[in-house]
Structures are given as structure tokens and as C-alpha cells.
Amino acid sequence: MGKKVMSVTIDKQILEDWKRYIEKECINSSKLIEKMLEEYLKKRGK
């Protein structure tokens, strides 16, 4: 069975926000990624 690879580009600001979330809240990584992407897309939609 072949492996599938997902490539993602994350800008520096998103990474910094991620670090702040980790410090504030103890949530698993998949929920963290989901939350950050949702917030990022909301901000871009303005």
C-alpha cells in the first residue's frame, strides 16, 4: 500500500499564533491545527 504525502505551507505569523495557543491551552495537535486554520480563513475572508 502506497503512502500519501500532504504538503502544507505555513507563514511565520500562523506559527507564532500556534505557539501562543500551545502555551495557553492544552489541546491535542489535530484540534489545534483545525482551530488555527479556521481562524486564519475567517481573517482572510474579511
Side-chain angles (χ1 to χ4, degrees):
M1 182 156 98
K3 293 184 178 181
K4 294 185 179 188
V5 177
M6 182 174 90
S7 176
V8 178
T9 302
I10 299 176
D11 69 18
K12 187 176 180 178
Q13 184 60 45
I14 294 175
L15 185 58
E16 293 300 320
D17 290 344
W18 185 345
K19 290 177 184 177
R20 277 187 238 116
Y21 275 121
I22 291 170
E23 291 172 2
K24 288 182 181 179
E25 299 179 34
C26 182
I27 55 179
N28 70 33
S29 61
S30 61
K31 290 289 184 184
L32 179 62
I33 292 169
E34 181 181 343
K35 182 177 178 180
M36 289 192 63
L37 288 174
E38 285 175 358
E39 289 185 12
Y40 177 74
L41 292 174
K42 285 179 190 176
K43 288 178 184 177
R44 284 188 78 182
K46 288 185 178 179

